[in-house]
Amino acid sequence: KNDQLQLLQLGQFRGGGALFTSKSNNNNDQEDDLLVLSTRNNNNNNNNNAAAIAKSVITTTSVIAIATFSFLHWDKIQAFFDREKFRTAIIQTLNDIASKGNKGLFLYAVGFMFWECCGLPTSVVETAAAMAFGFKGGLIGSFVGKTCGSLLAFTLGRTLLSNVVGEKMEENDLFGLVERGVQRHPVKSSLIVRYSPFPQLIKNFALSLTKPVTFPIFLLAISIHGFPFSLLWAALGNDSSMRLRASEMGETMAANLALNSLLIFVTVFGFVVSPAITGWWLADLRKES
């Protein structure tokens, strides 16, 4: 019995030693892990510091380069911001464009078609066109180009780009409401979408995915929406061109009260009335659903 008891004690002692050894190994592993994490944090900090230093060097170098360039070419920069020289350059450019006649107008309409198809801002371009081609030429070129660009986007959205446009529109909850409204009232909903504050790209491609909106309905909507604005920007561009030319000759023109009133109306409509009508329409569709 004494021998068995000694053997049992010896086994317990050895077991305890093994347990102690296991705990020691675990502690060593944890220390190694902490050392690795500490090394990684130090490396990350070093990388962040290096990136910050590189950014600071690039910024400083850019500022020095801009300052040096401005100092060496200050006369040219100052001339660029000279009002009289700037006006003279604009008038000369407009005269060059207008001298191309119908060919220049055709090229402008084609270029503006792709501009509209890409959903880029149109008001500035239409105003400049009227300054170059006059009221009639600017109106015709802008309206034809803008209409053809919208039709091109509508066609692409319904054919070649239908899958891509469909995936993008499905990510937006508002498209479901627009689609529901178009199914119930195609013409009314198309006009609301065209007058809405949505981006131009959304106005064209979103309607292309709604089957109730046919080509005649879409053409009617873009004509009702587009022609008044083309008319306004053409009038503004023609008026601006006349004032620039009068200023070149040392003359002054009285303020165009009618045009200024229309600009105020369009501004209020764009920032207040249009968002309110669109919001009311979408809220009404949510209630019905």
mmCIF file of all heavy atoms in Angstrom, residues 180-223:
data_model
loop_
_atom_site.group_PDB
_atom_site.id
_atom_site.type_symbol
_atom_site.label_atom_id
_atom_site.label_comp_id
_atom_site.label_asym_id
_atom_site.label_seq_id
_atom_site.Cartn_x
_atom_site.Cartn_y
_atom_site.Cartn_z
ATOM 1 N N ARG A 180 -44.675 53.144 -60.796
ATOM 2 C CA ARG A 180 -46.089 52.979 -60.445
ATOM 3 C C ARG A 180 -46.921 54.158 -60.941
ATOM 4 O O ARG A 180 -48.037 53.996 -61.449
ATOM 5 C CB ARG A 180 -46.240 52.835 -58.928
ATOM 6 C CG ARG A 180 -47.638 52.421 -58.478
ATOM 7 C CD ARG A 180 -47.723 52.289 -56.974
ATOM 8 N NE ARG A 180 -46.740 51.342 -56.484
ATOM 9 C CZ ARG A 180 -45.749 51.649 -55.654
ATOM 10 N NH1 ARG A 180 -45.595 52.897 -55.252
ATOM 11 N NH2 ARG A 180 -44.910 50.731 -55.241
ATOM 12 N N GLY A 181 -46.385 55.377 -60.799
ATOM 13 C CA GLY A 181 -47.105 56.552 -61.276
ATOM 14 C C GLY A 181 -47.241 56.579 -62.780
ATOM 15 O O GLY A 181 -48.289 56.972 -63.318
ATOM 16 N N VAL A 182 -46.202 56.133 -63.491
ATOM 17 C CA VAL A 182 -46.249 56.112 -64.953
ATOM 18 C C VAL A 182 -47.277 55.099 -65.442
ATOM 19 O O VAL A 182 -47.968 55.333 -66.446
ATOM 20 C CB VAL A 182 -44.844 55.801 -65.518
ATOM 21 C CG1 VAL A 182 -44.919 55.475 -66.996
ATOM 22 C CG2 VAL A 182 -43.913 56.984 -65.284
ATOM 23 N N GLN A 183 -47.395 53.980 -64.773
ATOM 24 C CA GLN A 183 -48.372 52.973 -65.184
ATOM 25 C C GLN A 183 -49.800 53.495 -65.076
ATOM 26 O O GLN A 183 -50.670 53.100 -65.857
ATOM 27 C CB GLN A 183 -48.193 51.716 -64.332
ATOM 28 C CG GLN A 183 -46.925 50.942 -64.645
ATOM 29 C CD GLN A 183 -46.723 49.756 -63.721
ATOM 30 O OE1 GLN A 183 -47.476 49.569 -62.764
ATOM 31 N NE2 GLN A 183 -45.708 48.945 -64.002
ATOM 32 N N ARG A 184 -50.046 54.370 -64.126
ATOM 33 C CA ARG A 184 -51.404 54.889 -63.935
ATOM 34 C C ARG A 184 -51.680 56.090 -64.839
ATOM 35 O O ARG A 184 -52.760 56.199 -65.428
ATOM 36 C CB ARG A 184 -51.599 55.276 -62.469
ATOM 37 C CG ARG A 184 -51.495 54.090 -61.521
ATOM 38 C CD ARG A 184 -51.630 54.512 -60.079
ATOM 39 N NE ARG A 184 -51.474 53.378 -59.169
ATOM 40 C CZ ARG A 184 -51.524 53.476 -57.844
ATOM 41 N NH1 ARG A 184 -51.711 54.670 -57.276
ATOM 42 N NH2 ARG A 184 -51.379 52.394 -57.105
ATOM 43 N N HIS A 185 -50.731 57.016 -64.919
ATOM 44 C CA HIS A 185 -50.910 58.236 -65.722
ATOM 45 C C HIS A 185 -49.624 58.508 -66.491
ATOM 46 O O HIS A 185 -48.767 59.283 -66.028
ATOM 47 C CB HIS A 185 -51.265 59.424 -64.826
ATOM 48 C CG HIS A 185 -52.448 59.187 -63.943
ATOM 49 N ND1 HIS A 185 -53.741 59.176 -64.409
ATOM 50 C CD2 HIS A 185 -52.522 58.949 -62.596
ATOM 51 C CE1 HIS A 185 -54.567 58.941 -63.399
ATOM 52 N NE2 HIS A 185 -53.851 58.800 -62.290
ATOM 53 N N PRO A 186 -49.432 57.894 -67.658
ATOM 54 C CA PRO A 186 -48.163 58.022 -68.386
ATOM 55 C C PRO A 186 -47.792 59.454 -68.753
ATOM 56 O O PRO A 186 -46.653 59.880 -68.509
ATOM 57 C CB PRO A 186 -48.394 57.168 -69.641
ATOM 58 C CG PRO A 186 -49.489 56.229 -69.284
ATOM 59 C CD PRO A 186 -50.364 56.978 -68.321
ATOM 60 N N VAL A 187 -48.733 60.206 -69.329
ATOM 61 C CA VAL A 187 -48.410 61.566 -69.783
ATOM 62 C C VAL A 187 -48.159 62.487 -68.602
ATOM 63 O O VAL A 187 -47.152 63.218 -68.554
ATOM 64 C CB VAL A 187 -49.546 62.107 -70.671
ATOM 65 C CG1 VAL A 187 -49.240 63.546 -71.087
ATOM 66 C CG2 VAL A 187 -49.742 61.231 -71.901
ATOM 67 N N LYS A 188 -49.049 62.474 -67.638
ATOM 68 C CA LYS A 188 -48.914 63.325 -66.460
ATOM 69 C C LYS A 188 -47.624 63.012 -65.708
ATOM 70 O O LYS A 188 -46.869 63.924 -65.331
ATOM 71 C CB LYS A 188 -50.119 63.141 -65.549
ATOM 72 C CG LYS A 188 -50.003 63.846 -64.208
ATOM 73 C CD LYS A 188 -51.176 63.498 -63.316
ATOM 74 C CE LYS A 188 -51.000 64.062 -61.913
ATOM 75 N NZ LYS A 188 -52.122 63.671 -61.017
ATOM 76 N N SER A 189 -47.347 61.745 -65.491
ATOM 77 C CA SER A 189 -46.148 61.353 -64.748
ATOM 78 C C SER A 189 -44.878 61.702 -65.516
ATOM 79 O O SER A 189 -43.876 62.118 -64.914
ATOM 80 C CB SER A 189 -46.187 59.850 -64.455
ATOM 81 O OG SER A 189 -47.317 59.520 -63.664
ATOM 82 N N SER A 190 -44.908 61.560 -66.828
ATOM 83 C CA SER A 190 -43.737 61.908 -67.632
ATOM 84 C C SER A 190 -43.424 63.395 -67.523
ATOM 85 O O SER A 190 -42.253 63.790 -67.413
ATOM 86 C CB SER A 190 -43.970 61.525 -69.096
ATOM 87 O OG SER A 190 -44.155 60.133 -69.234
ATOM 88 N N LEU A 191 -44.457 64.223 -67.549
ATOM 89 C CA LEU A 191 -44.248 65.666 -67.419
ATOM 90 C C LEU A 191 -43.712 66.028 -66.034
ATOM 91 O O LEU A 191 -42.825 66.890 -65.906
ATOM 92 C CB LEU A 191 -45.567 66.402 -67.685
ATOM 93 C CG LEU A 191 -46.026 66.432 -69.142
ATOM 94 C CD1 LEU A 191 -47.427 67.029 -69.246
ATOM 95 C CD2 LEU A 191 -45.042 67.227 -70.002
ATOM 96 N N ILE A 192 -44.233 65.368 -64.996
ATOM 97 C CA ILE A 192 -43.753 65.648 -63.647
ATOM 98 C C ILE A 192 -42.286 65.259 -63.512
ATOM 99 O O ILE A 192 -41.480 65.991 -62.912
ATOM 100 C CB ILE A 192 -44.611 64.909 -62.600
ATOM 101 C CG1 ILE A 192 -46.021 65.495 -62.575
ATOM 102 C CG2 ILE A 192 -43.980 65.004 -61.214
ATOM 103 C CD1 ILE A 192 -46.969 64.779 -61.633
ATOM 104 N N VAL A 193 -41.918 64.119 -64.077
ATOM 105 C CA VAL A 193 -40.527 63.679 -64.016
ATOM 106 C C VAL A 193 -39.628 64.656 -64.767
ATOM 107 O O VAL A 193 -38.536 65.009 -64.306
ATOM 108 C CB VAL A 193 -40.383 62.256 -64.592
ATOM 109 C CG1 VAL A 193 -38.908 61.883 -64.758
ATOM 110 C CG2 VAL A 193 -41.068 61.246 -63.687
ATOM 111 N N ARG A 194 -40.065 65.131 -65.920
ATOM 112 C CA ARG A 194 -39.257 66.069 -66.702
ATOM 113 C C ARG A 194 -39.077 67.401 -65.988
ATOM 114 O O ARG A 194 -38.024 68.031 -66.084
ATOM 115 C CB ARG A 194 -39.903 66.309 -68.071
ATOM 116 C CG ARG A 194 -39.916 65.111 -68.992
ATOM 117 C CD ARG A 194 -38.531 64.620 -69.339
ATOM 118 N NE ARG A 194 -37.693 65.642 -69.942
ATOM 119 C CZ ARG A 194 -36.460 65.430 -70.395
ATOM 120 N NH1 ARG A 194 -35.912 64.233 -70.285
ATOM 121 N NH2 ARG A 194 -35.770 66.392 -70.948
ATOM 122 N N TYR A 195 -40.089 67.855 -65.275
ATOM 123 C CA TYR A 195 -39.999 69.121 -64.543
ATOM 124 C C TYR A 195 -39.444 68.949 -63.135
ATOM 125 O O TYR A 195 -39.293 69.937 -62.418
ATOM 126 C CB TYR A 195 -41.370 69.789 -64.468
ATOM 127 C CG TYR A 195 -41.756 70.544 -65.716
ATOM 128 C CD1 TYR A 195 -42.637 69.996 -66.645
ATOM 129 C CD2 TYR A 195 -41.237 71.812 -65.975
ATOM 130 C CE1 TYR A 195 -42.993 70.684 -67.793
ATOM 131 C CE2 TYR A 195 -41.584 72.510 -67.121
ATOM 132 C CZ TYR A 195 -42.460 71.932 -68.025
ATOM 133 O OH TYR A 195 -42.802 72.617 -69.171
ATOM 134 N N SER A 196 -39.154 67.723 -62.735
ATOM 135 C CA SER A 196 -38.666 67.454 -61.384
ATOM 136 C C SER A 196 -37.217 67.898 -61.225
ATOM 137 O O SER A 196 -36.510 68.123 -62.229
ATOM 138 C CB SER A 196 -38.774 65.956 -61.086
ATOM 139 O OG SER A 196 -37.840 65.229 -61.868
ATOM 140 N N PRO A 197 -36.721 68.000 -59.989
ATOM 141 C CA PRO A 197 -35.313 68.367 -59.768
ATOM 142 C C PRO A 197 -34.358 67.191 -59.920
ATOM 143 O O PRO A 197 -33.180 67.312 -59.560
ATOM 144 C CB PRO A 197 -35.324 68.891 -58.325
ATOM 145 C CG PRO A 197 -36.449 68.183 -57.667
ATOM 146 C CD PRO A 197 -37.496 67.997 -58.728
ATOM 147 N N PHE A 198 -34.834 66.053 -60.439
ATOM 148 C CA PHE A 198 -33.948 64.921 -60.673
ATOM 149 C C PHE A 198 -32.878 65.294 -61.696
ATOM 150 O O PHE A 198 -33.105 66.135 -62.572
ATOM 151 C CB PHE A 198 -34.729 63.704 -61.191
ATOM 152 C CG PHE A 198 -35.731 63.152 -60.216
ATOM 153 C CD1 PHE A 198 -36.918 62.593 -60.669
ATOM 154 C CD2 PHE A 198 -35.494 63.186 -58.861
ATOM 155 C CE1 PHE A 198 -37.851 62.085 -59.780
ATOM 156 C CE2 PHE A 198 -36.416 62.682 -57.955
ATOM 157 C CZ PHE A 198 -37.591 62.126 -58.413
ATOM 158 N N PRO A 199 -31.710 64.665 -61.632
ATOM 159 C CA PRO A 199 -30.676 64.910 -62.656
ATOM 160 C C PRO A 199 -31.185 64.570 -64.054
ATOM 161 O O PRO A 199 -32.034 63.688 -64.227
ATOM 162 C CB PRO A 199 -29.532 63.972 -62.237
ATOM 163 C CG PRO A 199 -29.747 63.744 -60.773
ATOM 164 C CD PRO A 199 -31.224 63.768 -60.567
ATOM 165 N N GLN A 200 -30.662 65.262 -65.047
ATOM 166 C CA GLN A 200 -31.104 65.074 -66.422
ATOM 167 C C GLN A 200 -30.907 63.639 -66.894
ATOM 168 O O GLN A 200 -31.718 63.100 -67.653
ATOM 169 C CB GLN A 200 -30.344 66.031 -67.340
ATOM 170 C CG GLN A 200 -30.925 66.176 -68.731
ATOM 171 C CD GLN A 200 -32.219 66.977 -68.739
ATOM 172 O OE1 GLN A 200 -32.624 67.517 -67.715
ATOM 173 N NE2 GLN A 200 -32.866 67.039 -69.880
ATOM 174 N N LEU A 201 -29.833 63.006 -66.440
ATOM 175 C CA LEU A 201 -29.567 61.623 -66.829
ATOM 176 C C LEU A 201 -30.663 60.693 -66.321
ATOM 177 O O LEU A 201 -31.089 59.773 -67.026
ATOM 178 C CB LEU A 201 -28.204 61.191 -66.278
ATOM 179 C CG LEU A 201 -27.560 59.963 -66.911
ATOM 180 C CD1 LEU A 201 -27.198 60.234 -68.355
ATOM 181 C CD2 LEU A 201 -26.320 59.551 -66.125
ATOM 182 N N ILE A 202 -31.148 60.939 -65.108
ATOM 183 C CA ILE A 202 -32.218 60.112 -64.529
ATOM 184 C C ILE A 202 -33.528 60.352 -65.270
ATOM 185 O O ILE A 202 -34.300 59.409 -65.518
ATOM 186 C CB ILE A 202 -32.381 60.424 -63.031
ATOM 187 C CG1 ILE A 202 -31.066 60.167 -62.290
ATOM 188 C CG2 ILE A 202 -33.494 59.591 -62.429
ATOM 189 C CD1 ILE A 202 -30.578 58.750 -62.363
ATOM 190 N N LYS A 203 -33.783 61.592 -65.641
ATOM 191 C CA LYS A 203 -35.032 61.904 -66.344
ATOM 192 C C LYS A 203 -35.144 61.129 -67.664
ATOM 193 O O LYS A 203 -36.219 60.646 -68.018
ATOM 194 C CB LYS A 203 -35.109 63.408 -66.626
ATOM 195 C CG LYS A 203 -35.198 64.281 -65.396
ATOM 196 C CD LYS A 203 -35.227 65.743 -65.792
ATOM 197 C CE LYS A 203 -35.264 66.646 -64.574
ATOM 198 N NZ LYS A 203 -35.298 68.089 -64.947
ATOM 199 N N ASN A 204 -34.043 61.024 -68.373
ATOM 200 C CA ASN A 204 -34.072 60.354 -69.667
ATOM 201 C C ASN A 204 -34.110 58.833 -69.529
ATOM 202 O O ASN A 204 -34.951 58.156 -70.132
ATOM 203 C CB ASN A 204 -32.856 60.762 -70.504
ATOM 204 C CG ASN A 204 -32.927 62.214 -70.957
ATOM 205 O OD1 ASN A 204 -34.003 62.761 -71.174
ATOM 206 N ND2 ASN A 204 -31.779 62.841 -71.098
ATOM 207 N N PHE A 205 -33.204 58.281 -68.726
ATOM 208 C CA PHE A 205 -33.069 56.831 -68.666
ATOM 209 C C PHE A 205 -34.136 56.174 -67.796
ATOM 210 O O PHE A 205 -34.508 55.022 -68.048
ATOM 211 C CB PHE A 205 -31.675 56.459 -68.171
ATOM 212 C CG PHE A 205 -30.608 56.626 -69.205
ATOM 213 C CD1 PHE A 205 -29.777 57.735 -69.196
ATOM 214 C CD2 PHE A 205 -30.435 55.684 -70.207
ATOM 215 C CE1 PHE A 205 -28.793 57.889 -70.157
ATOM 216 C CE2 PHE A 205 -29.454 55.832 -71.174
ATOM 217 C CZ PHE A 205 -28.633 56.944 -71.150
ATOM 218 N N ALA A 206 -34.619 56.865 -66.776
ATOM 219 C CA ALA A 206 -35.661 56.267 -65.940
ATOM 220 C C ALA A 206 -36.943 56.059 -66.732
ATOM 221 O O ALA A 206 -37.594 55.009 -66.638
ATOM 222 C CB ALA A 206 -35.921 57.146 -64.719
ATOM 223 N N LEU A 207 -37.313 57.047 -67.525
ATOM 224 C CA LEU A 207 -38.534 56.914 -68.324
ATOM 225 C C LEU A 207 -38.383 55.865 -69.424
ATOM 226 O O LEU A 207 -39.380 55.302 -69.887
ATOM 227 C CB LEU A 207 -38.902 58.265 -68.943
ATOM 228 C CG LEU A 207 -39.398 59.338 -67.963
ATOM 229 C CD1 LEU A 207 -39.642 60.652 -68.686
ATOM 230 C CD2 LEU A 207 -40.666 58.888 -67.251
ATOM 231 N N SER A 208 -37.142 55.591 -69.833
ATOM 232 C CA SER A 208 -36.949 54.589 -70.882
ATOM 233 C C SER A 208 -37.291 53.183 -70.405
ATOM 234 O O SER A 208 -37.580 52.305 -71.222
ATOM 235 C CB SER A 208 -35.500 54.627 -71.377
ATOM 236 O OG SER A 208 -34.606 54.154 -70.381
ATOM 237 N N LEU A 209 -37.283 52.957 -69.088
ATOM 238 C CA LEU A 209 -37.578 51.634 -68.541
ATOM 239 C C LEU A 209 -39.061 51.431 -68.262
ATOM 240 O O LEU A 209 -39.465 50.318 -67.916
ATOM 241 C CB LEU A 209 -36.783 51.415 -67.243
ATOM 242 C CG LEU A 209 -35.260 51.400 -67.372
ATOM 243 C CD1 LEU A 209 -34.622 51.210 -66.017
ATOM 244 C CD2 LEU A 209 -34.807 50.317 -68.338
ATOM 245 N N THR A 210 -39.845 52.475 -68.384
ATOM 246 C CA THR A 210 -41.282 52.359 -68.123
ATOM 247 C C THR A 210 -42.004 52.119 -69.442
ATOM 248 O O THR A 210 -42.031 52.980 -70.318
ATOM 249 C CB THR A 210 -41.807 53.649 -67.468
ATOM 250 O OG1 THR A 210 -41.475 54.768 -68.302
ATOM 251 C CG2 THR A 210 -41.163 53.849 -66.100
ATOM 252 N N LYS A 211 -42.566 50.934 -69.588
ATOM 253 C CA LYS A 211 -43.189 50.534 -70.852
ATOM 254 C C LYS A 211 -44.370 51.418 -71.269
ATOM 255 O O LYS A 211 -44.562 51.654 -72.468
ATOM 256 C CB LYS A 211 -43.644 49.073 -70.755
ATOM 257 C CG LYS A 211 -42.496 48.100 -70.512
ATOM 258 C CD LYS A 211 -41.449 48.184 -71.609
ATOM 259 C CE LYS A 211 -40.314 47.203 -71.365
ATOM 260 N NZ LYS A 211 -39.254 47.315 -72.397
ATOM 261 N N PRO A 212 -45.187 51.929 -70.340
ATOM 262 C CA PRO A 212 -46.306 52.770 -70.795
ATOM 263 C C PRO A 212 -45.875 54.052 -71.504
ATOM 264 O O PRO A 212 -46.663 54.639 -72.244
ATOM 265 C CB PRO A 212 -47.056 53.095 -69.502
ATOM 266 C CG PRO A 212 -46.709 51.980 -68.568
ATOM 267 C CD PRO A 212 -45.291 51.631 -68.898
ATOM 268 N N VAL A 213 -44.622 54.499 -71.258
ATOM 269 C CA VAL A 213 -44.132 55.715 -71.917
ATOM 270 C C VAL A 213 -43.600 55.325 -73.292
ATOM 271 O O VAL A 213 -42.499 54.791 -73.425
ATOM 272 C CB VAL A 213 -43.040 56.403 -71.087
ATOM 273 C CG1 VAL A 213 -42.521 57.646 -71.816
ATOM 274 C CG2 VAL A 213 -43.571 56.794 -69.719
ATOM 275 N N THR A 214 -44.375 55.591 -74.313
ATOM 276 C CA THR A 214 -43.972 55.304 -75.685
ATOM 277 C C THR A 214 -43.137 56.457 -76.239
ATOM 278 O O THR A 214 -42.993 57.510 -75.598
ATOM 279 C CB THR A 214 -45.207 55.079 -76.562
ATOM 280 O OG1 THR A 214 -46.003 56.273 -76.548
ATOM 281 C CG2 THR A 214 -46.038 53.907 -76.048
ATOM 282 N N PHE A 215 -42.583 56.284 -77.437
ATOM 283 C CA PHE A 215 -41.793 57.342 -78.057
ATOM 284 C C PHE A 215 -42.622 58.620 -78.272
ATOM 285 O O PHE A 215 -42.131 59.719 -78.006
ATOM 286 C CB PHE A 215 -41.209 56.851 -79.380
ATOM 287 C CG PHE A 215 -39.927 56.074 -79.211
ATOM 288 C CD1 PHE A 215 -39.949 54.695 -79.089
ATOM 289 C CD2 PHE A 215 -38.706 56.727 -79.153
ATOM 290 C CE1 PHE A 215 -38.774 53.977 -78.938
ATOM 291 C CE2 PHE A 215 -37.519 56.021 -78.997
ATOM 292 C CZ PHE A 215 -37.561 54.638 -78.893
ATOM 293 N N PRO A 216 -43.858 58.535 -78.749
ATOM 294 C CA PRO A 216 -44.652 59.769 -78.897
ATOM 295 C C PRO A 216 -44.895 60.485 -77.576
ATOM 296 O O PRO A 216 -44.830 61.717 -77.513
ATOM 297 C CB PRO A 216 -45.957 59.277 -79.519
ATOM 298 C CG PRO A 216 -45.592 58.016 -80.229
ATOM 299 C CD PRO A 216 -44.543 57.382 -79.383
ATOM 300 N N ILE A 217 -45.168 59.710 -76.512
ATOM 301 C CA ILE A 217 -45.390 60.337 -75.202
ATOM 302 C C ILE A 217 -44.109 60.997 -74.705
ATOM 303 O O ILE A 217 -44.131 62.123 -74.181
ATOM 304 C CB ILE A 217 -45.901 59.291 -74.182
ATOM 305 C CG1 ILE A 217 -47.305 58.837 -74.559
ATOM 306 C CG2 ILE A 217 -45.896 59.868 -72.773
ATOM 307 C CD1 ILE A 217 -47.862 57.757 -73.645
ATOM 308 N N PHE A 218 -42.992 60.307 -74.876
ATOM 309 C CA PHE A 218 -41.715 60.877 -74.424
ATOM 310 C C PHE A 218 -41.365 62.128 -75.231
ATOM 311 O O PHE A 218 -40.896 63.127 -74.669
ATOM 312 C CB PHE A 218 -40.613 59.826 -74.566
ATOM 313 C CG PHE A 218 -39.285 60.282 -74.039
ATOM 314 C CD1 PHE A 218 -39.049 60.354 -72.677
ATOM 315 C CD2 PHE A 218 -38.260 60.631 -74.903
ATOM 316 C CE1 PHE A 218 -37.822 60.771 -72.184
ATOM 317 C CE2 PHE A 218 -37.035 61.053 -74.429
ATOM 318 C CZ PHE A 218 -36.813 61.119 -73.067
ATOM 319 N N LEU A 219 -41.593 62.079 -76.539
ATOM 320 C CA LEU A 219 -41.322 63.245 -77.376
ATOM 321 C C LEU A 219 -42.199 64.423 -76.971
ATOM 322 O O LEU A 219 -41.737 65.574 -76.923
ATOM 323 C CB LEU A 219 -41.555 62.897 -78.843
ATOM 324 C CG LEU A 219 -41.333 64.016 -79.858
ATOM 325 C CD1 LEU A 219 -39.905 64.541 -79.801
ATOM 326 C CD2 LEU A 219 -41.669 63.540 -81.267
ATOM 327 N N LEU A 220 -43.465 64.150 -76.652
ATOM 328 C CA LEU A 220 -44.361 65.209 -76.205
ATOM 329 C C LEU A 220 -43.876 65.819 -74.895
ATOM 330 O O LEU A 220 -43.860 67.054 -74.732
ATOM 331 C CB LEU A 220 -45.777 64.646 -76.038
ATOM 332 C CG LEU A 220 -46.829 65.602 -75.488
ATOM 333 C CD1 LEU A 220 -47.078 66.743 -76.478
ATOM 334 C CD2 LEU A 220 -48.139 64.853 -75.192
ATOM 335 N N ALA A 221 -43.438 64.977 -73.970
ATOM 336 C CA ALA A 221 -42.988 65.456 -72.656
ATOM 337 C C ALA A 221 -41.729 66.305 -72.774
ATOM 338 O O ALA A 221 -41.634 67.387 -72.173
ATOM 339 C CB ALA A 221 -42.752 64.270 -71.725
ATOM 340 N N ILE A 222 -40.752 65.841 -73.551
ATOM 341 C CA ILE A 222 -39.504 66.607 -73.652
ATOM 342 C C ILE A 222 -39.704 67.891 -74.449
ATOM 343 O O ILE A 222 -38.994 68.881 -74.229
ATOM 344 C CB ILE A 222 -38.380 65.754 -74.273
ATOM 345 C CG1 ILE A 222 -38.732 65.315 -75.698
ATOM 346 C CG2 ILE A 222 -38.064 64.557 -73.401
ATOM 347 C CD1 ILE A 222 -37.629 64.523 -76.385
ATOM 348 N N SER A 223 -40.669 67.910 -75.348
ATOM 349 C CA SER A 223 -40.939 69.139 -76.108
ATOM 350 C C SER A 223 -41.618 70.176 -75.232
ATOM 351 O O SER A 223 -41.241 71.361 -75.245
ATOM 352 C CB SER A 223 -41.816 68.822 -77.331
ATOM 353 O OG SER A 223 -41.159 67.925 -78.202
#
